[in-house]
Amino acid sequence: MASHRKWSPTGTRIAGIRTPALATAALTSVALLSQTANAAPSADSKPSIEEVEKKVDDLYHQAEAATEKYNATREKTAQQRKRVDSLLDDVAQRTEKLNTARDELGSFAAAQYRTGASAPDTATLLLADNPQDYFDQTQLMSRLTSRQKVAVDDYITEQAATTKKRAEASQSLQTLTTTQSALRTSKADVQRKLAEARDLLSKLTADEKARLAAIEKKKQEAADRKAAELAQQQAAAEKKAQEAAARQQTTTGTTGTTATTGTSGSSATDSSYTAKADKALAFARAQVGKPYVWGATGPGSYDCSGLTQAAWKTAGVDLPRTTWDQVNVGTTVPLSDIKPGDLVFFYDDISHVGLYVGNGMMIHAPKPGAYVREESIFYGGESIIHSVVRPA
């Protein structure tokens, strides 16, 4: 009966086999998914300009952190190379001294052979032409034996010292080799990060580059506004301090009393720092327009810590090479108390530094492809500011 007939869906043949319609649909879905997976990425899968910008910024940040690691390793390599050179010079001098001592021992052995090495006895006395000859011979042998003993002791001591120095030199050479390998690794890491950033930027179309420039402009405008706010806050605070000082002076003059405070000492300290800071800032301003080159310390190019080190050196202050060490020199001050000449450090890993010039601005060597320039300390937002340090 028709009512008891089972429904048999129309099927299709694949390789001579009839397949149910449901299976056909499943196979069709798999085929479409496979085609989608193998097809070129669609426009929707392409990262947005904002994502590209963040990725590039992250890569530059990573490259700068790797640069500071490279700088630290290079400093360590230079120190180890000096130590190796010093040890090798010492070994050469000791070896020469050892050879001299060996020659001296050889001359003693020859002298003993010529004069006779055995102690004088009765037979020697009988063979001597006269008592005076015997006396002269025993005196010579006595002197040779005494000098030989000193020479042997000196030789043994020098040989032990030379062996020790050779072992130290060998160990230092191994350490230097290891450090040089680490230096090459950190250098390759920097180059890899920069190459990846360049590759991302090179794939942008002209329109995308324009949009990226517009985003950067907005960020810069926001940073400039933040810098202006800081400048206004500092100006207001300075004005209040001046008004308070004027009121105190008026009060003191009216009562006819003299108050002793520590302000004079503080003023002297401020004046000394200002003079040094002015020298550092004058140098930094003269470097504006020079290219950022990772690992560079001038005079034609700089990285961030290379610039701050060179600037403060003109003021007679020797800063360490890396940001990680520079942050520990001097006195940490709050952002609200920042003064021209202070060092501003960025990011949690303290991988960037700039030289504060006032009004919320700094001079720094920003990143590869850029030039030393004056820019707001809020260029990446206030959140990335790690600390402010007064180095002198």
Side-chain angles (χ1 to χ4, degrees):
M1 296 176 62
S3 60
H4 294 286
R5 291 174 62 186
K6 293 182 179 180
W7 176 66
S8 297
T10 305
T12 58
R13 286 182 178 273
I14 297 180
I17 301 175
R18 180 176 293 277
T19 60
L22 185 61
T24 301
L27 287 170
T28 303
S29 298
V30 170
L32 289 173
L33 288 173
S34 176
Q35 291 174 3
T36 302
N38 294 329
S42 64
D44 293 339
S45 67
K46 186 176 181 179
S48 66
I49 293 300
E50 289 77 12
E51 289 172 335
V52 170
E53 181 207 25
K54 185 179 184 308
K55 180 64 175 175
V56 170
D57 285 346
D58 286 344
L59 286 169
Y60 278 140
H61 176 202
Q62 292 171 28
E64 196 158 33
T67 295
E68 291 304 309
K69 184 176 181 181
Y70 169 84
N71 291 338
T73 307
R74 189 170 65 174
E75 288 285 294
K76 188 176 180 181
T77 300
Q79 293 170 1
Q80 289 175 344
R81 185 177 287 111
K82 287 181 181 179
R83 173 164 174 74
V84 167
D85 290 343
S86 176
L87 285 170
L88 291 177
D89 287 343
D90 193 5
V91 168
Q93 293 172 4
R94 288 181 179 277
T95 301
E96 185 177 352
K97 188 176 180 181
L98 202 60
N99 291 336
T100 301
R102 187 183 291 109
D103 292 342
E104 188 175 0
L105 287 177
S107 66
F108 281 134
Q112 283 185 329
Y113 178 79
R114 289 193 301 271
T115 59
S118 59
D121 51 17
T122 306
T124 306
L125 178 60
L126 293 174
L127 290 174
D129 293 338
N130 54 61
Q132 185 61 46
D133 290 341
Y134 171 77
F135 177 77
D136 292 341
Q137 184 181 22
T138 55
Q139 286 293 99
L140 174 62
M141 290 183 63
S142 175
R143 288 197 301 273
L144 287 175
T145 302
S146 175
R147 290 177 59 191
Q148 183 180 23
K149 184 177 183 305
V150 172
V152 169
D153 289 343
D154 288 346
Y155 181 83
I156 292 173
T157 300
E158 192 62 37
Q159 189 177 43
T162 303
T163 300
K164 182 180 179 181
K165 287 295 181 182
R166 281 175 178 163
E168 288 181 17
S170 177
Q171 181 61 44
S172 294
L173 276 170
Q174 291 178 5
T175 303
L176 177 60
T177 300
T178 301
T179 308
Q180 287 175 327
S181 177
L183 184 65
R184 289 191 293 270
T185 299
S186 60
K187 180 179 181 179
D189 192 25
V190 176
Q191 293 173 329
R192 185 168 55 254
K193 301 295 183 186
L194 296 180
E196 190 175 346
R198 286 193 296 267
D199 183 59
L200 280 172
L201 292 173
S202 68
K203 293 178 180 178
L204 296 179
T205 64
D207 180 59
E208 288 171 334
K209 289 179 180 178
R211 288 166 57 196
L212 183 60
I215 292 174
E216 289 293 333
K217 184 179 179 181
K218 286 183 179 180
K219 286 173 60 177
Q220 184 177 345
E221 289 172 350
D224 290 343
R225 285 195 299 271
K226 190 70 177 176
E229 289 175 9
L230 177 62
Q232 290 173 358
Q233 292 169 2
Q234 288 184 317
E238 186 177 351
K239 183 178 179 181
K240 287 180 65 175
Q242 290 174 349
E243 290 173 349
R247 285 195 299 270
Q248 182 180 5
Q249 185 176 6
T250 301
T251 303
T252 304
T254 302
T255 57
T257 59
T258 302
T260 303
T261 67
T263 56
S264 60
S266 176
S267 298
T269 302
D270 290 346
S271 177
S272 174
Y273 180 74
T274 300
K276 293 178 181 179
D278 286 345
K279 291 181 180 179
L281 290 171
F283 177 88
R285 288 191 178 96
Q287 312 315 307
V288 170
K290 293 184 178 179
Y292 174 104
V293 174
W294 64 274
T297 56
S301 58
Y302 297 89
D303 63 16
C304 66
S305 54
L307 176 63
T308 52
Q309 183 188 48
W312 268 103
K313 187 175 183 179
T314 61
V317 177
D318 290 326
L319 295 180
R321 176 64 183 94
T322 69
T323 54
W324 304 324
D325 291 326
Q326 289 182 9
V327 74
N328 295 318
V329 175
T331 306
T332 301
V333 298
L335 181 61
S336 59
D337 190 35
I338 191 170
K339 293 181 179 179
D342 290 350
L343 301 177
V344 188
F345 295 90
F346 298 88
Y347 305 108
D348 291 338
D349 59 2
I350 321 175
S351 58
H352 188 67
V353 63
L355 189 68
Y356 188 68
V357 299
N359 295 323
M361 306 295 285
M362 67 177 173
I363 293 175
H364 69 147
K367 60 186 178 182
Y371 297 85
V372 175
R373 65 193 182 202
E374 186 171 321
E375 190 170 23
S376 168
I377 63 173
F378 302 103
Y379 73 100
E382 187 172 358
S383 63
I384 70 167
I385 297 178
H386 177 273
S387 57
V388 177
V389 171
R390 194 157 296 155

